[in-house]
Amino acid sequence: MTTHDLVVIGGGVAGLTIAWEAARAGLDVVVCETGDETGGMLRRGTVAGVDVDLGAESFATRTSGVVDLVADARLPVQFAPPKPAGAHLAYRGALGRTRRAPLPRRALIGLPADPAAPDVARILGRAGTRRAAQERSLAAVAGAEPSLADLATLRYGAAVTTRLVEPLCRSVYSQDAASVRLSALHPALWAEFAERGSLTAAVDALAPATRAGSAVRGIEGGLWRLAAELQAVALRAGAVIRTGTAVREIRSTAGGTLVVVDGETLPTRNVVVATGPAAAARLLGVDVAPAAPVRLTVAEITAPRLAAAPVGSGVIVAPDVDTPAKALTHVDAKWEWAAAALPAGTSVVRLSARDGVAGGLDTPAAVARAVRTLTGVAVSPGAVRSLTAVTWPDAVCPPATRIALTRAAADRGIRLAGAVAAGTGLASVIPHARALAADLIAHPTPHEGARHVR
Ligand SMILES: Cc1cc2nc3c(=O)[nH]c(=O)nc-3n(C[C@H](O)[C@H](O)[C@H](O)COP(=O)(O)OP(=O)(O)OC[C@H]3O[C@@H](n4cnc5c(N)ncnc54)[C@H](O)[C@@H]3O)c2cc1C
Protein backbone atom coordinates (compact mmCIF):
# COMPACT_ATOMS: atom_id res chain seq x y z
CA MET A 1 0.00 0.00 0.00
CA THR A 2 1.22 3.53 -0.82
CA THR A 3 2.04 5.69 2.15
CA HIS A 4 0.66 9.12 1.36
CA ASP A 5 2.47 12.30 2.33
CA LEU A 6 -0.74 13.78 3.65
CA VAL A 7 -4.33 12.81 4.34
CA VAL A 8 -6.65 15.76 4.94
CA ILE A 9 -9.84 14.84 6.78
CA GLY A 10 -12.61 17.23 5.76
CA GLY A 11 -13.11 18.94 2.39
CA GLY A 12 -14.33 22.31 3.64
CA VAL A 13 -12.54 25.49 2.67
CA ALA A 14 -9.70 24.75 5.14
CA GLY A 15 -9.12 21.21 3.87
CA LEU A 16 -9.26 22.32 0.23
CA THR A 17 -6.82 25.18 0.84
CA ILE A 18 -4.32 22.83 2.47
CA ALA A 19 -4.78 20.23 -0.25
CA TRP A 20 -4.06 22.81 -2.96
CA GLU A 21 -1.00 24.18 -1.16
CA ALA A 22 0.44 20.74 -0.42
CA ALA A 23 -0.29 19.30 -3.88
CA ARG A 24 1.31 22.24 -5.68
CA ALA A 25 4.39 21.79 -3.47
CA GLY A 26 4.62 18.23 -4.82
CA LEU A 27 3.16 16.29 -1.90
CA ASP A 28 0.97 13.26 -2.48
CA VAL A 29 -2.31 14.41 -0.91
CA VAL A 30 -5.65 12.71 -0.35
CA VAL A 31 -8.69 14.60 0.93
CA CYS A 32 -11.40 12.48 2.59
CA GLU A 33 -14.78 14.20 2.64
CA THR A 34 -17.79 12.48 4.13
CA GLY A 35 -20.34 14.47 2.10
CA ASP A 36 -21.21 14.02 -1.56
CA GLU A 37 -19.62 17.38 -2.31
CA THR A 38 -16.76 19.38 -0.92
CA GLY A 39 -17.10 22.95 0.37
CA GLY A 40 -18.43 22.20 3.86
CA MET A 41 -20.20 25.32 5.08
CA LEU A 42 -19.81 26.88 1.64
CA ARG A 43 -22.79 25.31 -0.07
CA ARG A 44 -24.90 26.15 -3.09
CA GLY A 45 -28.69 26.11 -3.15
CA THR A 46 -31.15 27.22 -5.80
CA VAL A 47 -33.91 29.61 -4.78
CA ALA A 48 -36.27 31.28 -7.27
CA GLY A 49 -34.13 29.73 -10.03
CA VAL A 50 -31.01 31.54 -8.82
CA ASP A 51 -27.94 29.90 -7.26
CA VAL A 52 -27.45 31.29 -3.75
CA ASP A 53 -25.47 30.42 -0.64
CA LEU A 54 -26.95 28.11 1.97
CA GLY A 55 -23.96 28.60 4.29
CA ALA A 56 -21.37 31.39 4.49
CA GLU A 57 -22.17 34.24 2.11
CA SER A 58 -19.44 36.85 2.69
CA PHE A 59 -15.99 37.21 4.19
CA ALA A 60 -14.60 39.84 6.50
CA THR A 61 -11.93 42.13 5.03
CA ARG A 62 -10.14 42.48 8.39
CA THR A 63 -7.53 40.13 6.91
CA SER A 64 -6.39 39.84 3.30
CA GLY A 65 -6.64 36.04 3.55
CA VAL A 66 -9.38 35.44 0.99
CA VAL A 67 -8.18 38.04 -1.49
CA ASP A 68 -4.61 36.69 -1.32
CA LEU A 69 -5.79 33.11 -1.84
CA VAL A 70 -7.87 34.06 -4.87
CA ALA A 71 -4.88 35.92 -6.37
CA ASP A 72 -2.30 33.23 -5.58
CA ALA A 73 -4.45 30.33 -6.76
CA ARG A 74 -5.77 32.38 -9.71
CA LEU A 75 -9.31 31.43 -8.88
CA PRO A 76 -11.66 32.69 -11.62
CA VAL A 77 -14.07 34.49 -9.28
CA GLN A 78 -15.05 38.15 -9.02
CA PHE A 79 -15.33 39.93 -5.70
CA ALA A 80 -18.56 41.76 -4.98
CA PRO A 81 -18.94 44.60 -2.48
CA PRO A 82 -22.21 44.63 -0.52
CA LYS A 83 -24.65 47.37 -1.53
CA PRO A 84 -24.14 50.45 0.64
CA ALA A 85 -27.47 50.33 2.52
CA GLY A 86 -26.01 48.66 5.64
CA ALA A 87 -27.79 46.51 8.21
CA HIS A 88 -30.38 47.31 10.90
CA LEU A 89 -31.00 46.26 14.47
CA ALA A 90 -34.41 45.14 15.75
CA TYR A 91 -34.92 45.65 19.48
CA ARG A 92 -37.68 45.94 22.02
CA GLY A 93 -38.48 49.59 22.63
CA ALA A 94 -40.86 51.39 24.95
CA LEU A 95 -44.22 49.60 25.57
CA GLY A 96 -42.66 46.37 24.33
CA ARG A 97 -42.93 47.36 20.67
CA THR A 98 -40.34 46.13 18.20
CA ARG A 99 -38.25 49.03 16.91
CA ARG A 100 -35.76 49.06 14.05
CA ALA A 101 -32.76 51.31 13.54
CA PRO A 102 -29.60 51.26 11.43
CA LEU A 103 -26.74 49.56 13.28
CA PRO A 104 -24.32 52.10 14.75
CA ARG A 105 -21.72 53.13 12.24
CA ARG A 106 -18.73 52.85 14.57
CA ALA A 107 -18.84 49.89 16.93
CA LEU A 108 -17.10 46.55 17.44
CA ILE A 109 -19.19 43.53 18.54
CA GLY A 110 -21.81 46.15 19.48
CA LEU A 111 -19.41 48.10 21.75
CA PRO A 112 -19.77 51.71 20.62
CA ALA A 113 -16.87 54.06 19.82
CA ASP A 114 -19.04 57.02 20.80
CA PRO A 115 -22.06 56.25 23.02
CA ALA A 116 -23.47 59.73 22.40
CA ALA A 117 -23.39 59.44 18.60
CA PRO A 118 -26.96 59.87 17.25
CA ASP A 119 -27.08 56.35 15.75
CA VAL A 120 -26.14 54.84 19.15
CA ALA A 121 -28.26 57.16 21.31
CA ARG A 122 -31.35 56.37 19.21
CA ILE A 123 -31.03 52.71 20.21
CA LEU A 124 -29.97 53.19 23.84
CA GLY A 125 -32.47 55.88 24.82
CA ARG A 126 -31.64 58.83 27.06
CA ALA A 127 -30.83 56.96 30.28
CA GLY A 128 -28.87 54.24 28.47
CA THR A 129 -26.82 56.83 26.59
CA ARG A 130 -26.03 58.79 29.77
CA ARG A 131 -24.79 55.64 31.48
CA ALA A 132 -22.77 54.45 28.48
CA ALA A 133 -21.10 57.85 28.11
CA GLN A 134 -19.58 57.42 31.60
CA GLU A 135 -17.42 54.55 30.33
CA ARG A 136 -14.40 56.71 29.53
CA SER A 137 -14.18 58.00 33.09
CA LEU A 138 -14.45 54.61 34.88
CA ALA A 139 -11.40 53.08 36.55
CA ALA A 140 -9.64 50.30 34.58
CA VAL A 141 -10.87 46.73 35.17
CA ALA A 142 -8.82 44.80 37.71
CA GLY A 143 -8.71 41.06 38.40
CA ALA A 144 -9.82 38.16 36.19
CA GLU A 145 -11.45 38.96 32.85
CA PRO A 146 -15.26 38.82 33.11
CA SER A 147 -17.49 37.48 30.33
CA LEU A 148 -18.15 39.84 27.43
CA ALA A 149 -21.70 40.42 28.73
CA ASP A 150 -20.47 41.30 32.23
CA LEU A 151 -17.68 43.46 30.83
CA ALA A 152 -20.09 45.42 28.61
CA THR A 153 -22.54 45.92 31.48
CA LEU A 154 -19.79 46.93 33.89
CA ARG A 155 -18.34 49.47 31.50
CA TYR A 156 -21.33 50.77 29.49
CA GLY A 157 -24.44 49.67 31.38
CA ALA A 158 -27.11 47.04 30.69
CA ALA A 159 -28.69 48.73 27.64
CA VAL A 160 -25.49 48.35 25.60
CA THR A 161 -25.32 44.67 26.54
CA THR A 162 -28.94 43.79 25.70
CA ARG A 163 -29.49 45.99 22.68
CA LEU A 164 -26.09 45.91 21.01
CA VAL A 165 -23.51 43.43 22.30
CA GLU A 166 -25.77 40.41 22.82
CA PRO A 167 -27.46 40.54 19.39
CA LEU A 168 -24.17 41.09 17.57
CA CYS A 169 -22.39 38.35 19.50
CA ARG A 170 -25.20 35.83 18.94
CA SER A 171 -25.69 36.53 15.29
CA VAL A 172 -22.03 36.79 14.29
CA TYR A 173 -20.43 34.25 16.63
CA SER A 174 -23.44 32.02 17.47
CA GLN A 175 -22.57 32.35 21.15
CA ASP A 176 -24.04 34.18 24.15
CA ALA A 177 -22.06 37.18 25.31
CA ALA A 178 -22.21 35.60 28.79
CA SER A 179 -20.27 32.56 27.58
CA VAL A 180 -17.38 34.28 25.77
CA ARG A 181 -14.58 36.65 26.63
CA LEU A 182 -13.51 39.66 24.64
CA SER A 183 -9.86 38.56 24.72
CA ALA A 184 -10.82 35.40 22.79
CA LEU A 185 -13.28 37.04 20.38
CA HIS A 186 -11.23 40.10 19.51
CA PRO A 187 -7.70 39.91 20.95
CA ALA A 188 -6.62 43.24 19.40
CA LEU A 189 -9.51 45.10 21.04
CA TRP A 190 -8.79 43.47 24.39
CA ALA A 191 -5.11 44.48 24.13
CA GLU A 192 -6.08 48.04 23.20
CA PHE A 193 -8.47 48.16 26.18
CA ALA A 194 -5.74 46.89 28.52
CA GLU A 195 -3.46 49.66 27.30
CA ARG A 196 -5.95 52.53 27.33
CA GLY A 197 -8.13 51.50 30.29
CA SER A 198 -11.28 52.52 28.39
CA LEU A 199 -13.32 50.40 26.00
CA THR A 200 -14.74 53.48 24.30
CA ALA A 201 -11.21 54.69 23.59
CA ALA A 202 -10.14 51.22 22.44
CA VAL A 203 -13.09 50.82 20.05
CA ASP A 204 -12.59 54.38 18.83
CA ALA A 205 -9.00 53.51 17.96
CA LEU A 206 -9.86 50.29 16.11
CA ALA A 207 -13.38 50.58 14.65
CA PRO A 208 -13.51 51.28 10.95
CA ALA A 209 -15.17 54.52 9.92
CA THR A 210 -17.38 52.64 7.49
CA ARG A 211 -20.97 51.57 7.99
CA ALA A 212 -21.53 48.42 10.07
CA GLY A 213 -21.60 45.37 7.88
CA SER A 214 -19.62 46.97 5.07
CA ALA A 215 -16.24 45.53 6.10
CA VAL A 216 -17.13 42.39 4.15
CA ARG A 217 -16.99 41.24 0.55
CA GLY A 218 -18.83 38.57 -1.34
CA ILE A 219 -18.30 36.76 -4.60
CA GLU A 220 -20.38 37.38 -7.72
CA GLY A 221 -22.87 34.51 -7.91
CA GLY A 222 -22.24 33.33 -4.33
CA LEU A 223 -19.40 32.42 -1.98
CA TRP A 224 -19.91 28.71 -2.70
CA ARG A 225 -18.00 29.38 -5.93
CA LEU A 226 -14.83 29.93 -3.93
CA ALA A 227 -14.88 26.31 -2.72
CA ALA A 228 -15.82 24.98 -6.16
CA GLU A 229 -12.89 26.78 -7.80
CA LEU A 230 -10.54 25.84 -4.98
CA GLN A 231 -11.41 22.20 -5.51
CA ALA A 232 -10.68 22.60 -9.23
CA VAL A 233 -7.16 24.02 -8.62
CA ALA A 234 -6.42 21.40 -5.95
CA LEU A 235 -7.35 18.64 -8.42
CA ARG A 236 -5.28 20.26 -11.16
CA ALA A 237 -2.30 20.41 -8.79
CA GLY A 238 -2.65 16.65 -8.29
CA ALA A 239 -4.62 16.28 -5.06
CA VAL A 240 -6.96 13.30 -4.85
CA ILE A 241 -10.37 14.23 -3.47
CA ARG A 242 -12.56 11.41 -2.24
CA THR A 243 -16.12 12.43 -1.50
CA GLY A 244 -18.55 10.07 0.26
CA THR A 245 -15.58 8.97 2.36
CA ALA A 246 -16.07 9.29 6.12
CA VAL A 247 -12.97 8.84 8.25
CA ARG A 248 -13.78 6.65 11.26
CA GLU A 249 -10.47 6.61 13.11
CA ILE A 250 -6.91 7.86 13.09
CA ARG A 251 -4.66 5.05 14.26
CA SER A 252 -1.11 5.82 15.35
CA THR A 253 1.23 2.82 14.92
CA ALA A 254 4.96 2.31 15.30
CA GLY A 255 5.27 2.42 11.50
CA GLY A 256 3.26 5.63 11.01
CA THR A 257 -0.33 6.78 10.90
CA LEU A 258 -3.30 4.92 9.49
CA VAL A 259 -6.44 6.79 8.52
CA VAL A 260 -9.36 4.39 8.70
CA VAL A 261 -12.26 4.86 6.30
CA ASP A 262 -15.04 2.37 5.68
CA GLY A 263 -13.43 -0.95 4.76
CA GLU A 264 -10.01 0.56 4.08
CA THR A 265 -6.97 2.06 5.78
CA LEU A 266 -4.83 4.82 4.29
CA PRO A 267 -1.20 4.87 5.53
CA THR A 268 0.15 8.42 5.70
CA ARG A 269 3.05 10.43 7.03
CA ASN A 270 0.88 13.41 7.99
CA VAL A 271 -2.72 13.94 8.96
CA VAL A 272 -4.67 17.17 9.07
CA VAL A 273 -8.05 17.14 10.78
CA ALA A 274 -10.17 19.86 9.14
CA THR A 275 -13.68 18.83 10.21
CA GLY A 276 -16.23 20.50 12.47
CA PRO A 277 -15.68 20.28 16.25
CA ALA A 278 -17.84 17.23 17.06
CA ALA A 279 -16.26 15.19 14.26
CA ALA A 280 -12.78 16.30 15.33
CA ALA A 281 -13.57 15.33 18.93
CA ARG A 282 -14.61 11.83 17.83
CA LEU A 283 -11.47 11.40 15.73
CA LEU A 284 -9.18 12.68 18.47
CA GLY A 285 -10.96 10.77 21.24
CA VAL A 286 -11.96 13.87 23.18
CA ASP A 287 -15.14 14.23 25.23
CA VAL A 288 -16.74 17.62 24.57
CA ALA A 289 -20.14 19.07 25.31
CA PRO A 290 -22.23 19.15 22.11
CA ALA A 291 -22.98 22.65 20.76
CA ALA A 292 -26.38 23.66 19.37
CA PRO A 293 -26.75 23.34 15.59
CA VAL A 294 -27.05 26.42 13.36
CA ARG A 295 -30.39 26.56 11.56
CA LEU A 296 -31.05 28.67 8.52
CA THR A 297 -34.10 29.15 6.33
CA VAL A 298 -33.73 30.67 2.87
CA ALA A 299 -37.05 31.90 1.50
CA GLU A 300 -38.29 33.30 -1.80
CA ILE A 301 -40.84 36.05 -1.13
CA THR A 302 -42.87 38.04 -3.60
CA ALA A 303 -43.76 41.32 -1.92
CA PRO A 304 -43.05 44.69 -3.60
CA ARG A 305 -42.69 46.54 -0.28
CA LEU A 306 -40.07 44.06 0.84
CA ALA A 307 -38.25 44.33 -2.49
CA ALA A 308 -37.84 48.05 -1.71
CA ALA A 309 -35.32 46.98 1.00
CA PRO A 310 -36.92 48.54 4.10
CA VAL A 311 -34.11 47.38 6.40
CA GLY A 312 -31.13 47.60 4.05
CA SER A 313 -29.06 44.45 3.82
CA GLY A 314 -30.76 42.86 6.81
CA VAL A 315 -31.53 42.87 10.51
CA ILE A 316 -29.77 41.67 13.62
CA VAL A 317 -32.20 40.90 16.40
CA ALA A 318 -31.94 41.68 20.13
CA PRO A 319 -32.80 38.67 22.34
CA ASP A 320 -35.88 40.36 23.86
CA VAL A 321 -37.73 40.63 20.52
CA ASP A 322 -40.51 38.06 20.25
CA THR A 323 -39.38 35.99 17.24
CA PRO A 324 -37.57 32.68 16.68
CA ALA A 325 -35.06 34.46 14.35
CA LYS A 326 -31.79 36.00 15.47
CA ALA A 327 -30.87 37.58 12.13
CA LEU A 328 -32.30 38.24 8.68
CA THR A 329 -30.27 38.85 5.54
CA HIS A 330 -32.08 40.39 2.59
CA VAL A 331 -29.93 38.78 -0.09
CA ASP A 332 -30.91 40.91 -3.10
CA ALA A 333 -30.73 44.11 -1.01
CA LYS A 334 -27.18 43.15 -0.05
CA TRP A 335 -25.79 41.79 -3.33
CA GLU A 336 -26.25 43.45 -6.72
CA TRP A 337 -25.64 40.16 -8.54
CA ALA A 338 -28.63 38.59 -6.74
CA ALA A 339 -30.88 41.59 -7.43
CA ALA A 340 -29.94 41.42 -11.12
CA ALA A 341 -30.70 37.69 -11.33
CA LEU A 342 -34.09 37.71 -9.55
CA PRO A 343 -37.41 38.65 -11.17
CA ALA A 344 -38.66 42.14 -10.23
CA GLY A 345 -40.63 42.11 -6.96
CA THR A 346 -39.08 38.84 -5.76
CA SER A 347 -36.79 38.83 -2.74
CA VAL A 348 -34.59 36.16 -1.21
CA VAL A 349 -34.35 36.29 2.56
CA ARG A 350 -32.12 34.26 4.87
CA LEU A 351 -33.41 33.82 8.41
CA SER A 352 -31.16 32.28 11.03
CA ALA A 353 -32.86 30.73 14.02
CA ARG A 354 -32.02 31.46 17.62
CA ASP A 355 -29.78 28.86 19.21
CA GLY A 356 -31.77 25.85 20.28
CA VAL A 357 -34.85 26.89 18.30
CA ALA A 358 -35.90 24.03 16.03
CA GLY A 359 -38.81 24.18 13.64
CA GLY A 360 -39.61 27.84 14.33
CA LEU A 361 -38.97 29.02 10.78
CA ASP A 362 -39.92 26.12 8.57
CA THR A 363 -43.42 27.00 7.37
CA PRO A 364 -44.53 29.88 5.13
CA ALA A 365 -46.67 31.26 8.00
CA ALA A 366 -43.72 31.26 10.42
CA VAL A 367 -41.43 32.88 7.84
CA ALA A 368 -44.05 35.53 7.02
CA ARG A 369 -44.47 36.32 10.74
CA ALA A 370 -40.73 36.64 11.31
CA VAL A 371 -40.27 38.85 8.24
CA ARG A 372 -43.12 41.09 9.40
CA THR A 373 -41.61 41.44 12.89
CA LEU A 374 -38.11 42.13 11.63
CA THR A 375 -38.78 44.36 8.63
CA GLY A 376 -42.13 45.94 9.47
CA VAL A 377 -43.52 44.81 6.09
CA ALA A 378 -46.77 42.83 6.25
CA VAL A 379 -46.03 39.68 4.25
CA SER A 380 -48.74 37.05 3.82
CA PRO A 381 -47.87 33.32 4.01
CA GLY A 382 -48.94 33.08 0.35
CA ALA A 383 -46.19 35.52 -0.61
CA VAL A 384 -43.60 33.00 0.64
CA ARG A 385 -43.20 31.08 -2.61
CA SER A 386 -40.59 28.59 -1.47
CA LEU A 387 -38.39 27.89 1.48
CA THR A 388 -35.27 25.85 2.04
CA ALA A 389 -34.45 24.92 5.63
CA VAL A 390 -30.84 23.96 6.31
CA THR A 391 -29.38 22.60 9.55
CA TRP A 392 -25.64 22.87 10.19
CA PRO A 393 -25.13 20.32 12.96
CA ASP A 394 -21.40 20.84 13.58
CA ALA A 395 -20.79 24.54 13.00
CA VAL A 396 -20.13 26.01 16.42
CA CYS A 397 -16.92 25.48 18.37
CA PRO A 398 -17.13 26.84 21.93
CA PRO A 399 -13.78 28.07 23.35
CA ALA A 400 -13.49 25.13 25.81
CA THR A 401 -13.87 22.67 22.91
CA ARG A 402 -11.21 24.49 20.90
CA ILE A 403 -8.75 24.24 23.79
CA ALA A 404 -9.47 20.52 24.35
CA LEU A 405 -9.11 19.71 20.64
CA THR A 406 -5.89 21.71 20.25
CA ARG A 407 -4.33 19.88 23.20
CA ALA A 408 -5.44 16.43 22.03
CA ALA A 409 -4.19 17.04 18.48
CA ALA A 410 -0.82 18.35 19.69
CA ASP A 411 -0.43 15.34 22.00
CA ARG A 412 -0.89 13.00 19.03
CA GLY A 413 1.20 14.99 16.54
CA ILE A 414 -1.88 15.63 14.43
CA ARG A 415 -2.46 19.00 12.87
CA LEU A 416 -5.81 20.70 13.35
CA ALA A 417 -7.14 23.16 10.77
CA GLY A 418 -10.28 25.09 9.98
CA ALA A 419 -12.68 26.96 12.21
CA VAL A 420 -12.04 24.53 15.07
CA ALA A 421 -8.46 25.77 15.24
CA ALA A 422 -8.58 29.28 13.76
CA GLY A 423 -11.98 30.57 14.88
CA THR A 424 -15.13 31.11 12.83
CA GLY A 425 -15.01 32.72 9.42
CA LEU A 426 -13.00 32.64 6.24
CA ALA A 427 -10.90 35.64 7.22
CA SER A 428 -9.39 33.49 9.99
CA VAL A 429 -9.70 29.99 8.52
CA ILE A 430 -7.89 30.62 5.22
CA PRO A 431 -4.73 32.36 6.52
CA HIS A 432 -4.47 29.73 9.28
CA ALA A 433 -4.80 26.89 6.73
CA ARG A 434 -2.14 28.41 4.50
CA ALA A 435 0.28 28.91 7.40
CA LEU A 436 -0.33 25.32 8.50
CA ALA A 437 0.31 24.06 4.96
CA ALA A 438 3.54 26.07 4.74
CA ASP A 439 4.72 24.56 8.04
CA LEU A 440 3.76 21.07 6.90
CA ILE A 441 5.59 21.48 3.59
CA ALA A 442 8.69 22.77 5.42
CA HIS A 443 8.50 20.01 8.07
CA PRO A 444 6.70 17.15 6.35
CA THR A 445 6.62 14.81 9.33
CA PRO A 446 4.80 15.59 12.57
CA HIS A 447 7.09 17.64 14.78
CA GLU A 448 8.04 16.02 18.03
CA GLY A 449 8.18 19.45 19.63
CA ALA A 450 4.51 20.06 18.91
CA ARG A 451 3.38 16.99 20.78
CA HIS A 452 3.66 18.49 24.22
CA VAL A 453 2.48 22.00 23.50
CA ARG A 454 -0.04 23.16 26.07
C1 LIG B 1 -25.11 29.37 8.09
C2 LIG B 1 -23.67 29.81 8.18
C3 LIG B 1 -23.31 31.06 7.73
C4 LIG B 1 -22.00 31.48 7.80
N1 LIG B 1 -21.68 32.69 7.31
C5 LIG B 1 -20.40 33.07 7.25
C6 LIG B 1 -20.03 34.25 6.57
O1 LIG B 1 -20.89 34.95 6.00
N2 LIG B 1 -18.72 34.60 6.54
C7 LIG B 1 -17.74 33.79 7.09
O2 LIG B 1 -16.55 34.13 7.00
N3 LIG B 1 -18.06 32.64 7.71
C8 LIG B 1 -19.35 32.27 7.80
N4 LIG B 1 -19.69 31.09 8.38
C9 LIG B 1 -18.61 30.28 8.98
C10 LIG B 1 -17.76 29.63 7.90
O3 LIG B 1 -18.60 29.02 6.96
C11 LIG B 1 -16.82 28.61 8.53
O4 LIG B 1 -16.02 29.23 9.54
C12 LIG B 1 -15.90 27.93 7.51
O5 LIG B 1 -16.57 27.62 6.31
C13 LIG B 1 -15.31 26.69 8.16
O6 LIG B 1 -14.60 25.92 7.21
P1 LIG B 1 -13.91 24.57 7.65
O7 LIG B 1 -13.20 24.06 6.47
O8 LIG B 1 -13.14 24.78 8.90
O9 LIG B 1 -15.10 23.58 8.09
P2 LIG B 1 -16.34 22.97 7.32
O10 LIG B 1 -16.80 23.88 6.26
O11 LIG B 1 -17.28 22.56 8.39
O12 LIG B 1 -15.75 21.67 6.61
C14 LIG B 1 -15.52 20.50 7.33
C15 LIG B 1 -15.77 19.33 6.41
O13 LIG B 1 -15.41 18.13 7.08
C16 LIG B 1 -16.30 17.11 6.67
N5 LIG B 1 -16.25 16.02 7.65
C17 LIG B 1 -16.76 16.01 8.90
N6 LIG B 1 -16.48 14.82 9.49
C18 LIG B 1 -15.77 14.08 8.61
C19 LIG B 1 -15.21 12.78 8.64
N7 LIG B 1 -15.27 12.00 9.74
N8 LIG B 1 -14.55 12.33 7.55
C20 LIG B 1 -14.44 13.10 6.43
N9 LIG B 1 -14.98 14.35 6.35
C21 LIG B 1 -15.61 14.83 7.43
C22 LIG B 1 -17.63 17.84 6.59
O14 LIG B 1 -18.57 17.14 5.80
C23 LIG B 1 -17.23 19.18 6.00
O15 LIG B 1 -17.33 19.19 4.59
C24 LIG B 1 -20.99 30.62 8.34
C25 LIG B 1 -21.36 29.35 8.78
C26 LIG B 1 -22.67 28.94 8.70
C27 LIG B 1 -23.06 27.56 9.17
Side-chain angles (χ1 to χ4, degrees), residues 8-16 32-35 37-42 54-60 62 66 172 216 223 242 245-249 261 274-277 279-280 282-283 294-296 334 350 352 392 394-395 417-421 423-429:
V8 180
I9 307 174
V13 71
L16 291 173
C32 296
E33 164 55 51
T34 188
E37 288 183 13
T38 60
M41 290 186 255
L42 271 59
L54 297 183
E57 48 103 48
S58 60
F59 59 90
R62 67 187 150 76
V66 178
V172 178
V216 297
L223 201 64
R242 294 178 51 168
T245 305
V247 173
R248 305 291 176 197
E249 191 188 344
V261 300
T275 66
R282 277 192 297 276
L283 291 168
V294 172
R295 295 176 205 277
L296 184 75
K334 185 168 182 178
R350 287 162 55 111
S352 36
W392 295 100
D394 198 14
V420 289
T424 302
L426 271 58
S428 305
V429 167

Side-chain angles (χ1 to χ4, degrees), residues 149-218:
D150 286 347
L151 179 70
T153 305
L154 193 71
R155 302 297 307 183
Y156 287 104
V160 167
T161 309
T162 352
R163 292 196 174 165
L164 290 168
V165 174
E166 197 66 81
L168 266 296
C169 191
R170 287 183 194 206
S171 78
V172 178
Y173 298 95
S174 290
Q175 294 180 65
D176 292 349
S179 67
V180 291
R181 295 191 201 292
L182 180 61
S183 59
L185 234 45
H186 201 316
L189 180 57
W190 176 249
E192 196 74 28
F193 172 47
E195 195 176 313
R196 295 173 182 260
S198 155
L199 263 179
T200 311
V203 176
D204 192 29
L206 297 183
T210 48
R211 186 173 272 292
S214 66
V216 297
R217 288 279 176 280

Side-chain angles (χ1 to χ4, degrees), residues 121-141:
R122 175 177 174 185
I123 293 167
L124 297 182
R126 215 170 287 152
T129 305
R130 243 194 332 269
R131 169 62 185 85
Q134 293 165 4
E135 198 280 332
R136 269 189 194 267
S137 52
L138 299 182
V141 167

Side-chain angles (χ1 to χ4, degrees), residues 20-163:
W20 167 68
E21 289 278 20
R24 75 178 177 135
L27 268 57
D28 155 26
V29 188
V30 179
V31 178
C32 296
E33 164 55 51
T34 188
D36 294 338
E37 288 183 13
T38 60
M41 290 186 255
L42 271 59
R43 188 191 296 173
R44 170 174 47 169
T46 306
V47 176
V50 176
D51 286 341
V52 295
D53 288 302
L54 297 183
E57 48 103 48
S58 60
F59 59 90
T61 49
R62 67 187 150 76
T63 73
S64 62
V66 178
V67 172
D68 291 347
L69 175 70
V70 166
D72 294 345
R74 299 188 186 180
L75 303 181
V77 295
Q78 299 294 321
F79 294 118
K83 294 208 235 176
H88 282 56
L89 176 75
Y91 59 97
R92 197 176 155 100
L95 307 173
R97 294 186 52 178
T98 303
R99 312 266 313 260
R100 292 158 216 96
L103 274 173
R105 190 173 278 271
R106 298 196 64 238
L108 290 173
I109 326 174
L111 301 163
D114 176 5
D119 58 357
V120 183
R122 175 177 174 185
I123 293 167
L124 297 182
R126 215 170 287 152
T129 305
R130 243 194 332 269
R131 169 62 185 85
Q134 293 165 4
E135 198 280 332
R136 269 189 194 267
S137 52
L138 299 182
V141 167
E145 183 186 355
S147 71
L148 174 60
D150 286 347
L151 179 70
T153 305
L154 193 71
R155 302 297 307 183
Y156 287 104
V160 167
T161 309
T162 352
R163 292 196 174 165

Side-chain angles (χ1 to χ4, degrees), residues 345-368:
T346 295
S347 292
V348 173
V349 161
R350 287 162 55 111
L351 285 163
S352 36
R354 290 206 164 127
D355 304 337
V357 173
L361 294 165
D362 55 7
T363 64
V367 167

